[in-house]
């Protein structure tokens, strides 16, 4: 991994994200963005015709490529892999209202294009990959890790030297928010509290996180500043329940990722948890972590109290937080004010950022329908 670009309610750029992650005081959990300015990447007419989730993706891609040193990559050896859940929901819902109020002839003729665009566009940050291989998996929260591991393998005949996982999440629309409220997974307050005995749900956020991945040979040849190595990964789907995870599928995913990395559980020094702040979800995840690591007890951080739950982008934000932890040699606190649930027997980082000597990290994500994805990341060698 050689570049990270983020767009979130914390701000534009990973520096703003890091400031939010290591804040010394707990505040309201960031939710949807309200003041994103697409003008650095889009002309006004283009912005009006482009759904927000793509604007976020293009901006994050530009930032990630800058962070990677603006590498020159061959289009036929580059992949842009985009994972998304709800796509152009904002545009679709707006035009549904137009249809209901004014009839079919008033619907925008551009809607079909708005709802199917990829972030690789003529004037976008991904313009150099306009002829690149592109794919659009549609998982839930594991969308970040999923493209990270599938992208470089998308074409066995011509393995990619560079891959840009682009998992954006656009603003949640009123009908989707209503569905989550009925599902009773959203907090009734303004704070998500992962692993806390007071937790009552998550805060929906939006944004995008782009990770620039390169083969070791390509990164070495151009003298890239390596931020992290992805040494292991796994995906599972136990199809246990549409919204209530079993924990068993995640446990199997974690074990498989660690084994794929050629490591033993006791060699993992930190876990970046998915923990959304729901009652059943956090407890099932904590149980899976406990079964995998036993008495070893690696430190654990859950960042959604400080980032919100960015749905399809959540896994990528978690991976980015690991990379930033490598860079700053600090583990972000799950919360400053944490009342750890007595049923959760984990070494949860809280109160303040914890200094550490970076080592192998397991970053896991859980999605609707029993989806799980895990990455094992290690810091760059000096």
């Amino acid at each position: 991994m050689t570049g990270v670009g983020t767009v979130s309610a914390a701000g534009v750029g990973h520096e703003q994200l890091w400031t939010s992650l290591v804040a010394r005081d707990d505040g309201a959990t960031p939710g949807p963005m309200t003041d994103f300015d697409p003008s650095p990447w889009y002309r006004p007419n283009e912005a009006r015709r482009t759904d927000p989730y793509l604007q976020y993706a293009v901006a994050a891609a530009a930032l990630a490529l800058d962070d990677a040193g603006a590498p020159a990559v061959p289009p036929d050896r580059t992949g842009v892999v985009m994972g998304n859940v709800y796509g152009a929901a904002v545009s679709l819902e707006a035009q549904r209202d137009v249809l209901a109020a004014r009839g079919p002839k008033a619907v925008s003729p551009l809607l079909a294009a708005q709802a199917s665009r990829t972030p690789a566009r003529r004037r976008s940050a991904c313009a150099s990959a306009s002829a690149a291989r592109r794919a659009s998996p549609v998982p839930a929260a594991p969308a970040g890790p999923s493209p990270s591991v599938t992208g470089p393998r998308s074409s066995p005949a011509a393995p990619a030297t560079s891959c840009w996982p682009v998992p954006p999440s656009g603003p949640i629309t009123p009908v989707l928010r209503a569905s989550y409220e009925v599902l009773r997974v959203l907090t009734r307050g303004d704070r998500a509290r992962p692993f806390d005995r007071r937790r009552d749900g998550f805060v929906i956020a939006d944004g995008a996180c782009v990770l620039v991945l390169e083969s070791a040979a390509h990164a070495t040849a151009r003298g890239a500043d390596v931020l992290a190595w992805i040494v292991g990964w796994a995906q599972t789907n136990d199809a246990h329940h549409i919204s209530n995870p079993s924990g068993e599928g995640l446990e199997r995913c974690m074990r498989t990722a660690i084994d794929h990395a050629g490591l033993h559980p006791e060699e993992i020094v930190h876990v970046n948890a998915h923990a959304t702040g729901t009652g059943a979800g956090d407890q099932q995840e904590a149980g899976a972590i406990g079964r995998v690591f036993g008495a070893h007890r690696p430190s654990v951080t859950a960042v959604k109290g400080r980032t919100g739950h960015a749905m399809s982008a959540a896994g990528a934000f978690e991976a980015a937080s690991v990379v930033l932890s490598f860079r700053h040699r600090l583990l972000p606190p799950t919360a400053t004010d944490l009342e750890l649930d007595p049923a959760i027997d984990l070494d949860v980082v809280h109160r303040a950022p914890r200094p550490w000597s970076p080592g192998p990290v397991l970053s896991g994500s859980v999605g609707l329908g029993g989806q799980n994805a895990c990455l094992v990341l290690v810091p760059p060698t000096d």
Side-chain angles (χ1 to χ4, degrees):
M1 191 181 301
T2 58
V4 176
T6 65
V7 172
S8 69
V12 175
H14 60 65
E15 298 88 353
Q16 300 296 322
L17 175 64
W18 180 250
T19 297
S20 179
L21 290 174
V22 296
R24 295 283 175 163
D25 297 311
D26 295 324
T29 299
M33 287 183 285
T34 58
D35 57 356
F36 177 70
D37 177 13
S39 63
W41 303 279
Y42 283 90
R43 291 190 293 258
N45 284 343
E46 287 182 314
R48 284 194 294 270
R49 297 173 179 174
T50 304
D51 202 86
Y53 84 105
L54 284 179
Q55 296 178 15
Y56 302 161
V58 167
L63 296 167
L65 291 175
D66 286 345
D67 193 47
V73 294
D76 61 342
R77 300 294 298 279
T78 301
V80 178
V81 185
M82 180 173 169
N84 187 258
V85 179
Y86 298 119
V90 172
S91 298
L92 288 166
E93 195 160 325
Q95 291 302 310
R96 180 208 61 186
D97 293 343
V98 170
L99 175 65
R102 299 165 52 194
K105 291 189 177 180
V107 172
S108 170
L110 300 176
L111 179 61
Q114 287 175 323
S116 61
R117 285 178 178 171
T118 70
R121 302 180 62 246
R122 177 175 55 85
R123 296 186 64 255
S124 78
C126 300
S128 61
S130 60
R133 296 187 305 277
R134 297 191 292 275
S136 296
V138 190
S146 297
S148 297
V149 298
T150 60
R153 295 162 174 79
S154 59
S155 174
T161 59
S162 177
C163 173
W164 309 340
V166 184
S169 180
I172 205 77
T173 61
V175 68
L176 289 171
R177 174 174 290 279
S179 177
Y180 278 104
E181 288 174 347
V182 174
L183 196 58
R184 293 186 294 181
V185 294
L186 301 185
T187 178
R188 294 184 294 274
D190 61 1
R191 281 182 58 188
R193 298 176 182 270
F195 296 137
D196 196 299
R197 67 174 184 82
R198 300 164 291 178
R199 67 189 185 277
D200 67 344
F202 57 80
V203 173
I204 295 176
D206 56 11
C209 178
V210 174
L211 311 172
V212 177
L213 309 181
E214 301 180 51
S215 67
H218 188 266
T220 300
R222 73 178 187 87
D225 180 16
V226 176
L227 307 178
W229 296 95
I230 298 177
V231 296
W233 64 275
Q235 291 176 270
T236 62
N237 190 332
D238 57 16
H240 172 73
H241 188 273
I242 185 63
S243 60
N244 186 19
S246 69
E248 295 177 4
L250 178 59
E251 178 184 352
R252 186 167 62 254
C253 190
M254 290 190 289
R255 292 186 186 279
T256 303
I258 294 168
D259 184 66
H260 183 242
L263 299 174
H264 299 289
E266 58 269 22
E267 294 177 275
I268 300 295
V269 299
H270 181 65
V271 174
N272 190 291
H274 178 75
T276 60
T278 60
D282 285 14
Q283 189 161 348
Q284 290 284 13
E285 183 173 8
I289 294 171
R291 291 191 296 273
V292 170
F293 295 102
H296 170 49
R297 292 177 61 84
S299 58
V300 177
T301 285
V303 300
K304 288 186 177 64
R306 297 176 181 270
T307 66
H309 189 351
M311 302 297 177
S312 56
F317 277 114
E318 289 155 12
S321 73
V322 173
V323 173
L324 296 174
S325 298
F326 288 161
R327 179 178 289 182
H328 294 277
R329 302 181 74 84
L330 287 174
L331 295 173
T334 297
T336 302
D337 170 29
L338 176 71
E339 295 182 18
L340 187 63
D341 185 339
I344 293 175
D345 184 22
L346 300 175
D347 177 20
V348 178
V349 180
H350 65 288
R351 294 197 182 95
R354 182 185 296 184
W356 74 314
S357 296
V361 173
L362 179 73
S363 183
S365 294
V366 181
L368 295 174
Q371 301 176 77
N372 307 281
C374 290
L375 299 178
V376 177
L377 301 99
V378 298
T381 55
D382 294 330

